[in-house]
Amino acid sequence: MGLNQNTGLRKNSSYGKGVIIGMVDMGVELSHPSFADGGMLPPPPVKWKGKCQFLIGELSPLTIGHGTHTASTAAGNFVGGAGLFGNAGRNAAGIAPLAHLSIYQACGFDGCPNSAVAAAIDAAIDDGFGQLDVDVRGKIVVCDNGTPTTRIAKGVGIKNAGGAAMILVNTETQRDTTSDDVHALRAMQIGTLIGGGPAPVLAAFSSRGPSTATPGILKPDIIGPGDNILAAWPFSLENKTDTKSTFNIISGTSMSCPHLSGVAALLKSMHPDWSIAAIKSGIMTTAYQVNLKGNPIKNEQLQPATVYTNQHVGIILGCKVDCAKEKSILEAQLNYPSFSIIFGSTPQNYTRTLTNVGKDNLSYDVEIVLPDGVNVKVEPNKLVFPKLGDKSSYNMTFTRTTKGAMNSTPQGFS
């Protein structure tokens, strides 16, 4: 993610100091070294009105493992020698290690009930937080990596039946996405793709667009690391009894979310006057769009991967709006960092307005990677910002060039 110790965004944002990240998840093992502040953190910001409430009940390590992992990914402190069964073995730290964490347990063995999540979010808002997861005896058994039985449960069943080892074979849709699980017996997972190409590649389990509710707004906004993530765990999976510095490697969208929450915390610490929309726009417009070889990031298939006032709508559109005079507003007219175009018979033309948040005397030249079957024209081809805070607009015209674009989803960027 381009985040290094003592340089760049982390250093400039003071590692997220002064920002509170609210985590709606499972419980957290507070005694883990990832949550030890070592006297480095000041008291929480005065706007935080929360209090410490510990629920004493049947919180097993299984329940609190997920929450411990995600919280330490977002804001865990630096811990040396972090590893699991010989993997990694270096320093582990969250994205914003000096940010504060406000934990709200809404999930348990039966998942995350909507009512519990809603109550947790309400509590977080009240607290004033800053940022809101067969007999096989002696045999090596080959299993399909599919539902309803989980990967780990398959291994337990094979071991209980006397099996010696397990080979998990991905389905065609999972392709080359593999997970570094801790199994009950010797196991390996095999993808269906050989020579998948350079990283990063979108994982098979990643959340996808388009949005069925608003297909004119491109989703997802941003993706982040979520496959085989090393982070804090409340107990040792290696049967170590002489240390609390215990970690696990797990995968999922829950692992991706705290990465991006941590980045948002760093930006909020560096730019406390930025709105949530500005922070999201900043992340979206500076995210990596190409892989290590300079080609567009691909997916596992290796395919290019309320009541509103006039002021509210105006902020979203980037211009003044009188809601009493507007019957409807096309999604693509929103002043959004991305476009999702649904073609008809005529070209489509849209405008975006940018604000300079960098420094004086900045200019940007247009460079376009065209989607298949679509022509894109940008005017002007250069944006100039003489001063910090200046605004400049550009116009984009999208034209379908082939009938093939009618029934496909081509992707490009500029």
Side-chain angles (χ1 to χ4, degrees), residues 16 63-64 71 91-92 121 171 174 192 206 218 237 281 316 350 386 392:
T63 307
I64 59 180
N91 288 337
I121 293 175
T171 63
Q174 294 164 337
T192 62
S206 183
L218 185 65
L237 297 171
S281 179
I316 297 171
Y350 300 102
S392 185

Side-chain angles (χ1 to χ4, degrees), residues 26 36 71-72 109 125 140 156 189 195 205 226 270 298 306 308 310 323 331 386-387:
M26 296 184 179
S72 67
F109 285 111
I125 293 173
I140 298 176
V156 172
Q189 185 177 352
F205 55 78
M270 190 174 178
K298 298 180 179 180
T306 304
Y308 291 98
N310 290 343
C323 293
E331 297 151 325
K387 295 181 180 180

Side-chain angles (χ1 to χ4, degrees), residues 102-146:
S102 188
I103 308 298
Y104 304 88
Q105 182 174 347
C107 307
F109 285 111
D110 297 326
C112 308
N114 291 338
S115 58
V117 172
I121 293 175
D122 286 341
I125 293 173
D126 291 339
D127 289 346
F129 80 99
Q131 288 296 130
L132 274 183
D133 224 66
V134 160
D135 186 358
V136 294
R137 188 164 291 107
K139 303 290 185 180
I140 298 176
V141 180
V142 178
C143 292
D144 288 333
N145 180 21

